[in-house]
Amino acid sequence: MDHFAITNGVMHAEDVPLPQIAEAVGTPVYVYSRATLERHARVFREALEAVPDKLIAFAVKSNPNLAVLKVLGRQGMGADVVSVGEMRRALAAGIAPDMIVFSGVGKTTAEMIAALDAGIGQFNIESEEEGIELAAIAAAKGKVAQCTLRINPDVDAGTHDKISTGKADNKFGVPISEAGQIFGKLAGLPGVNLRGVAVHIGSQLADLAPLEAAFEKLGALVKALRGAGHVITHVDLGGGLGVPYRIGEVLPAPAEYGAMVARVTHGWGVKLIFEPGRVIAGNAGVLLTRVVRVKRGINDPFVIVDAAMNDLARPALYGAYHHFEAVAPSGARMTANIVGPICETGDTFAMGRECDKLEAGDLAVFRTAGAYGATMASSYNSRGFVAEVLVDGDKFAVVADRIEAGAIMDAERVPEWLI
Ligand code: LLP
């Protein structure tokens, strides 16, 4: 459930009519709802009530906006980060270092040092090589890095190939077949306290079965590791729960996920870490856009909006569906191709989509844009970076300025020898 709805013929974010935001901030603009973020955080937490010892670490990559992190931090969430940039954001938002976990296959030396200095709670080590380097860095500093070893369970998550992470040929984690041996090697090193294992098999999962299969494999591994004399106190189950993008689409609810987790992990006797991103932020945001013009087409008309693939990359990158609707629907419908202004055909949000009838100047939204939306924006076609707004009841604030194309150009230099 979200807080974007039509009231008196106009879509509101909570109590704020979207045209008011478009007027004040311009378009395109991402609009987030605080009440929705808080609701999703609460629902996820309640779904895991049966898990006694846990940390829910929001996947910062899904929406790294400082204000969003502040809202979620206040809900008791930690942070799952994959770069020093994300770590700094989480810290700046007031999330305690010990509630931050650092994932990612390519942590640089500088990042490991920064994370150790910040005192983050956990490193999810993704390879033997990384573990050896981290151990050396930590030992040289006289520190002990708290770690889990990320396992690649070779489970097909059944999601889009580009966001699937748990198959044997994906770059993530260590092969489960070698996990025992690598764990043994790393656990013996000074500088690390290898206290558990981690898994994340992919994103936008529409089915709990692959997750369950991965967790079962992890449970067996925990047993085997304990059998080999290791002390296992932490297991990180990653994120991945999908959200409905289409009206009426039904996905596993957080409560079903929570029940499955409680059942599978019963008796493990560990602290469980969760890294949800999309399920928290996805439906808490929309991308508000204005129709530039409607162009006649051979088949369907092209509704050309002022948002483009640089603002919302998911349709171009993954062929993703984002529900599109008018802010002030007249009731009339049309079938249209919905496109942005960027000069490539990939800048297409939908072809032959049945939607509200729209004309030049009308406002519309792409829904479910709160996760992997603004965070994946670029300045392609020198369009600048999209602005972000957070709504709270009847008030709203710009939480990320629009970075105009001119400001990006200002950061560029023509060398003297070219002038
Ligand atoms: N933990 C790890 C280690 C991850 O790699 C990810 C996402 C998450 C947690 C959060 O997963 P979530 O709960 O949000 O599914 N840009 C793509 C999604 C990429 C996800 C990458 N990893 C998209 O727009 O669909």
Side-chain angles (χ1 to χ4, degrees), residues 48 103 125 224 274 289 312:
L48 292 166
S103 309
I125 297 175
F274 299 89
T289 185
L312 178 62

Side-chain angles (χ1 to χ4, degrees), residues 60-83:
V60 172
K61 66 173 79 67
S62 66
N63 190 324
N65 182 277
L66 275 182
V68 168
L69 297 182
K70 188 97 195 168
V71 167
L72 296 176
R74 289 221 182 128
Q75 290 295 304
M77 294 187 107
D80 159 49
V81 305
V82 293
S83 70

Side-chain angles (χ1 to χ4, degrees), residues 103-160:
S103 309
V105 291
K107 301 176 196 80
T108 64
T109 307
E111 286 181 319
M112 291 182 193
I113 292 172
L116 281 168
D117 288 345
I120 65 146
Q122 178 172 298
F123 290 84
N124 292 341
I125 297 175
E126 300 240 7
S127 64
E128 183 177 337
E129 296 84 349
E130 179 194 334
I132 291 171
E133 183 180 352
L134 177 61
I137 294 171
K141 282 179 162 294
K143 295 193 178 192
V144 176
Q146 303 301 322
C147 302
T148 66
L149 183 62
R150 179 163 173 187
I151 309 300
N152 184 325
D154 195 19
V155 168
D156 187 348
T159 185
H160 193 284

Side-chain angles (χ1 to χ4, degrees), residues 85-244:
E86 288 189 352
M87 182 189 82
R88 299 239 183 275
R89 284 172 173 275
L91 292 170
I95 294 175
D98 64 349
M99 290 174 74
I100 298 178
V101 302
F102 201 140
S103 309
V105 291
K107 301 176 196 80
T108 64
T109 307
E111 286 181 319
M112 291 182 193
I113 292 172
L116 281 168
D117 288 345
I120 65 146
Q122 178 172 298
F123 290 84
N124 292 341
I125 297 175
E126 300 240 7
S127 64
E128 183 177 337
E129 296 84 349
E130 179 194 334
I132 291 171
E133 183 180 352
L134 177 61
I137 294 171
K141 282 179 162 294
K143 295 193 178 192
V144 176
Q146 303 301 322
C147 302
T148 66
L149 183 62
R150 179 163 173 187
I151 309 300
N152 184 325
D154 195 19
V155 168
D156 187 348
T159 185
H160 193 284
D161 262 356
K162 287 186 185 166
I163 55 176
S164 177
T165 52
K167 284 190 279 187
D169 58 355
N170 294 146
K171 67 181 175 180
F172 300 97
V174 303
I176 191 153
S177 53
E178 297 173 20
Q181 176 223 339
I182 296 174
F183 198 101
K185 228 184 220 179
L186 296 179
L189 299 177
V192 293
N193 174 29
L194 196 53
R195 62 188 190 183
V197 287
V199 75
H200 172 79
I201 61 168
S203 195
Q204 185 54 15
L205 305 194
D207 184 1
L208 294 179
L211 280 172
E212 180 164 350
F215 298 167
E216 292 280 9
K217 285 189 173 195
L218 223 57
L221 179 63
V222 166
K223 229 182 189 166
L225 291 170
R226 284 182 172 151
H230 298 294
V231 179
I232 305 296
T233 54
H234 291 69
V235 175
D236 187 328
L237 297 181
L241 201 55
V243 300

